[in-house]
Amino acid sequence: MNKRLTNKVTVITGAGSGIGRCSALLFAREGAVVVVNDLNEANGRAVVTEIQEAGGQALFVEADVSEAESVKTMVQTVMDEYGKIDVLFNNAGISNVGALHEVDVEQWDRIMNVNVKGVFLPCKFSLPFMMERYAGTIINMSSCVAEIGLARRAAYGATKGAVLALTKAMQVDYAPHGIRINALVPGTIMTPFVQNYLQNAYDDPQAAIASIKKRQLSGELGTPQDVAYAALFLASDESKFMMGSPLYIDGGATFGKDA
Ligand code: NAD
């Protein structure tokens, strides 16, 4: 059977958990060589082991996407090991729940650094190598919070709006270099990211989950697989006519209203 990412070197940031982990496993099954990046070494290495035990190819590279030297070293490691980067999936991200006056200045700086600078830096250091080959695909992780005003998500929403704007603007600059850049726009997906903020930021996590489910027309949260399949499409040549586009995987949360 034809695989969709045969021999494509794909770097996935934050691939030790949730959507990144699921995408790493799926990309590897589709023939990709997967560079699993994460801050969390144990989780990242566990994903690499899982891929290798299933017969796939993977390498763990620990790096903090918000630190320039760390990202530069990661990109150089990938180039030394494989000589190219076909796909860069900027997935790593952190959450923040709170109305704006409740957000500490340190929390604001941290989320901007991880969610926005953490997209800028891997792009900045990978793009010259992609440009040399006149080839490459970048997938940036946004969120439907970039499009809809959602209670107590101002700081997080600002980061994901920035990622969407960055995606569109970057595409214009790099289209002449044969590089495609698109964004994923998920609704709420059940991952450790959501489990943590449900536990830590809500007095009644059960009521919170019921209200979050209502936002989706599907009445359910998404799964990491739902987003991983969208990422696979954007990573593969099947999406070659998609450029600077947001791809919504949100159970209708952005455009639907049931009353
Ligand atoms: P997750 O918490 O399960 O996984 C995120 C991973 O990123 C973790 O393994 C974490 O260690 C890693 N990470 C965090 N900071 C890092 C850094 N500075 N450098 C390298 N790695 C780092 O989260 P998830 O739900 O899988 O989310 C993945 C992405 O999807 C995030 O960007 C998130 O904002 C976005 N997203 C999630 C949802 C959702 O509902 N889960 C919805 C829309 C968008």
Side-chain angles (χ1 to χ4, degrees):
M1 199 180 77
N2 272 351
K3 295 191 173 183
R4 294 159 75 181
L5 296 179
T6 301
N7 293 330
K8 299 256 190 211
V9 176
T10 68
V11 177
I12 307 179
T13 67
S17 172
I19 296 166
R21 171 182 176 277
C22 189
S23 303
L25 299 173
L26 178 63
F27 284 21
R29 285 203 300 277
E30 289 294 339
V33 176
V34 183
V35 177
V36 173
N37 155 261
D38 211 284
L39 266 184
N40 184 319
E41 184 179 357
N43 284 353
R45 289 201 186 280
V47 174
V48 168
T49 303
E50 205 174 332
I51 289 173
Q52 289 170 341
E53 284 178 357
Q57 295 182 73
L59 173 75
F60 173 67
V61 183
E62 187 176 343
D64 180 338
V65 293
S66 68
E67 294 288 336
E69 279 311 310
S70 185
V71 176
K72 200 172 173 184
T73 305
M74 172 177 77
V75 170
Q76 198 52 59
T77 303
V78 179
M79 290 306 297
D80 292 347
E81 193 71 27
Y82 302 115
K84 63 172 184 166
I85 297 174
D86 293 295
V87 178
L88 168 63
F89 180 8
N90 290 305
N91 163 76
I94 57 174
S95 66
N96 181 271
V97 180
L100 201 66
H101 71 280
E102 299 166 337
V103 177
D104 296 339
V105 173
E106 294 73 24
Q107 289 174 329
W108 175 272
D109 288 344
R110 180 75 191 136
I111 199 165
M112 282 291 165
N113 276 336
V114 176
N115 292 10
V116 184
K117 196 174 176 192
V119 172
F120 159 62
L121 291 172
C123 289
K124 174 176 169 57
F125 294 118
S126 303
L127 278 162
F129 297 114
M130 290 182 171
M131 287 160 75
E132 261 175 29
R133 295 177 56 235
Y134 193 78
T137 299
I138 296 176
I139 305 165
N140 292 331
M141 182 60 90
S142 183
S143 160
C144 70
V145 180
E147 300 271 12
I148 51 175
L150 193 60
R152 304 173 71 216
R153 295 294 191 287
Y156 179 69
T159 67
K160 295 302 181 181
V163 169
L164 205 49
L166 189 64
T167 301
K168 294 172 188 177
M170 279 174 65
Q171 180 62 91
V172 179
D173 292 335
Y174 296 103
H177 297 279
I179 299 164
R180 294 188 304 115
I181 304 161
N182 293 292
L184 291 169
V185 186
T188 309
I189 311 298
M190 190 43 98
T191 66
F193 175 97
V194 170
Q195 281 152 357
N196 289 340
Y197 77 59
L198 280 171
Q199 288 309 319
N200 300 329
Y202 289 91
D203 295 335
D204 183 349
Q206 285 312 317
I209 191 104
S211 121
I212 291 172
K213 281 184 181 177
K214 268 211 227 148
R215 284 205 296 261
Q216 268 87 213
L217 289 180
S218 62
E220 279 302 331
L221 302 192
T223 67
Q225 283 81 0
D226 292 329
V227 185
Y229 278 115
L232 173 62
F233 171 62
L234 291 183
S236 79
D237 297 337
E238 293 158 16
S239 61
K240 69 179 171 43
F241 203 48
M242 284 192 71
M243 301 181 83
S245 290
L247 180 56
Y248 296 85
I249 323 102
D250 68 350
T254 308
F255 299 111
K257 222 172 188 333
D258 69 356

